[in-house]
Amino acid sequence: MSRAVPQSLHDLGFSGLVEVLAAGGVIAHHAKALWRALHREGELDLTTRSFLPPLRRWIDASVGGDKAFFLDAPEVVDEIRSSDGLTRKFLLRLRDGQVIETVLMGYDGRHTVCVSTQAGCAMGCVFCATGQMGFVRHLRPGEIVAQVLHARRVLKEMHPHKRLRNLVMMGMGEPLHNIDSVMTALEIISDVRGIGIGPSHISISTVGVVPGILRMAEENSPYRLAVSLHGSTEQERAALVPASKRWSLEMLISACRDYGRLTGRRVFFEWTLIEGKNDSPETAARLAVLLAGIDAHINLIPLNPTGGFSGTASGSGHAFQRILRAAGFPCTFRQRRGIDVAAGCGMLKAERRARVALL
Ligand code: SAH
Ligand code: SF4
């Protein structure tokens, strides 16, 4: 029996897979073999692989073409490598033609995948290439999982013995605006029977969607939380992050305090340094007061120029860092060694669009 709307097998957590097999008369035992094929082996063609007969019959009847289920296998439409070869950025086309970015980074022997969670983004941060595009749609869990599988496949080709150990949700989109799909995807990605990236090696980066942060706190979510702050007063922040009109700085910091208290975990704050906007010594001192009492780590990010924003990268990052360190906060610069690959989120897509427009 085929369903009206085909569903991705990559959208399903383990229990979901057990359920759909059960509905097709296949006992739970077989779910493990299918899960292994999908997530441990990263198999994209189930027709050629051998399975026990009941599972084989279900796959033949249910997966592919216009049948009830499909696999998420986005097509690589472009790739850019950094000159040191350590960062590779992929432009992936989804089934409906939407194009998203995924980045594989490998420094000091540690490999990290940076995934997108939405096509475009509704939050409109003024300096962000994705924000400048606007929102298109949320990604399904399977579309997030497929990015990790792709990055792992590429890593395996380069270094057969290296494992993909880290994941950051710092690609296109706002993860906590798509929280249900994100949480399902992360459950799949962290499952040790499959991809097995440890929850403490997974970072969710948010512009400050307060209900999402509170949900992570209440559920004692095992993932790392990174909050993109960029401003130390309502006014300073509102000039860069329109979403702050919806969730004020006060609400956001209070939610971060709740998260720290309830989970006992550190909160990472991201700060894109922009000349004359948020890089003064006074701002650094105010930030230290704002975060007082929070177990906080501050990551400073040099601004990547984007077409739609006239601001420039700050020249006073080190002074800013010194003030925060003197106040007792760990404060580091985000490595941007992949900068020559159009490293900022959404930038490859924006750049490609510009290139195509010239043709
Ligand atoms: N939406 C989430 C995650 C994606 S953006 C968020 O905003 O946190 C990941 C990080 O890249 C954020 O800290 C964001 O502020 C930063 N960023 C976006 N565009 C940038 C640019 N042009 N230069 C430097 N950092 C940028
Ligand atoms: Fe969206 Fe993050 Fe870009 Fe802001 S910085 S527009 S939240 S992707």
Side-chain angles (χ1 to χ4, degrees):
M1 185 185 69
S2 84
R3 298 172 182 207
V5 183
Q7 195 185 3
S8 165
L9 284 182
H10 287 112
D11 275 346
L12 301 171
F14 188 77
S15 53
L17 200 59
V18 168
E19 265 173 45
V20 301
L21 288 179
V26 182
I27 57 168
H29 171 74
H30 294 288
K32 277 191 202 140
L34 185 51
W35 186 266
R36 212 177 305 121
L38 291 172
H39 300 294
R40 189 175 278 267
E41 322 294 344
E43 193 68 77
L44 288 177
D45 182 4
L46 298 178
T47 57
T48 55
R49 201 189 153 90
S50 67
F51 291 106
L52 288 171
L55 183 54
R56 172 83 274 151
R57 278 194 295 274
W58 182 84
I59 289 170
D60 291 344
S62 316
V63 185
D66 56 358
K67 296 171 191 158
F69 296 96
F70 63 89
L71 304 186
D72 271 305
E75 181 198 349
V76 182
V77 290
D78 205 351
E79 179 190 339
I80 297 191
R81 296 183 197 206
S82 59
S83 47
D84 60 11
L86 298 176
T87 302
R88 294 175 67 170
K89 187 162 201 166
F90 305 98
L91 213 49
L92 303 179
R93 186 183 298 137
L94 306 175
R95 284 165 67 88
D96 65 349
Q98 282 307 315
V99 173
I100 54 163
E101 294 181 8
T102 305
V103 184
L104 174 65
M105 295 165 281
Y107 293 107
D108 311 321
R110 291 171 51 226
H111 290 88
T112 300
V113 60
C114 174
V115 298
S116 296
T117 54
Q118 297 176 318
C121 182
M123 301 297 154
C125 303
V126 296
F127 51 82
C128 171
T130 310
Q132 291 158 14
M133 281 171 210
F135 177 73
V136 182
R137 70 168 173 86
H138 294 303
L139 299 192
R140 290 181 287 97
E143 291 171 325
I144 299 171
V145 172
Q147 296 174 64
V148 181
L149 292 173
H150 175 70
R152 200 185 56 175
R153 217 169 282 127
V154 171
L155 176 60
K156 201 167 175 191
E157 279 164 24
M158 284 195 295
H159 304 290
H161 304 296
K162 293 272 189 214
R163 279 195 56 196
L164 182 57
R165 286 190 191 277
N166 306 288
L167 180 149
V168 293
M169 294 196 146
M170 294 184 185
M172 299 167 72
E174 168 47 49
L176 296 186
H177 183 210
N178 186 18
I179 190 165
D180 291 331
S181 290
V182 159
M183 291 303 167
T184 303
L186 291 182
E187 218 179 288
I188 296 169
I189 291 161
S190 58
D191 190 306
V192 291
R193 294 165 293 193
I195 300 168
I197 298 181
S200 61
H201 291 252
I202 292 175
S203 297
I204 297 180
S205 174
T206 177
V207 72
V209 176
V210 166
I213 295 172
L214 293 175
R215 177 167 152 189
M216 284 179 72
E218 280 152 19
E219 292 178 356
N220 194 12
S221 161
Y223 312 113
R224 286 157 70 126
L225 172 67
V227 176
S228 299
L229 206 54
H230 314 310
S232 65
T233 62
E234 298 289 359
Q235 208 183 3
E236 196 175 61
R237 189 163 196 262
L240 302 170
V241 181
S244 67
K245 290 177 193 103
R246 175 119 177 241
W247 301 290
S248 68
L249 190 59
E250 195 187 336
M251 286 162 74
L252 175 56
I253 296 298
S254 154
C256 292
R257 282 187 199 285
D258 287 353
Y259 172 90
R261 189 170 36 78
L262 289 168
T263 66
R265 268 188 276 279
R266 172 167 284 187
V267 185
F268 294 80
F269 289 95
E270 291 161 284
W271 192 279
T272 297
L273 280 161
I274 305 167
E275 184 75 33
K277 301 275 188 211
N278 64 358
D279 64 340
S280 70
E282 295 75 34
T283 293
R286 260 197 313 266
L287 177 58
V289 172
L290 195 64
L291 302 185
I294 302 181
D295 179 8
H297 181 124
I298 300 139
N299 251 319
L300 301 175
I301 313 173
L303 176 76
N304 268 322
T306 53
F309 181 60
S310 59
T312 51
S314 166
S316 42
H318 289 287
F320 198 89
Q321 182 186 35
R322 268 196 303 278
I323 294 168
L324 288 163
R325 284 193 164 165
F329 292 100
C331 180
T332 47
F333 276 89
R334 159 108 61 90
Q335 291 179 341
R336 289 202 87 84
R337 281 180 284 186
I339 192 149
D340 55 333
V341 243
C345 73
M347 290 179 63
L348 175 56
K349 184 174 174 185
E351 186 218 315
R352 187 170 187 273
R353 206 149 57 174
R355 244 172 23 219
V356 170
L358 286 173
L359 294 177

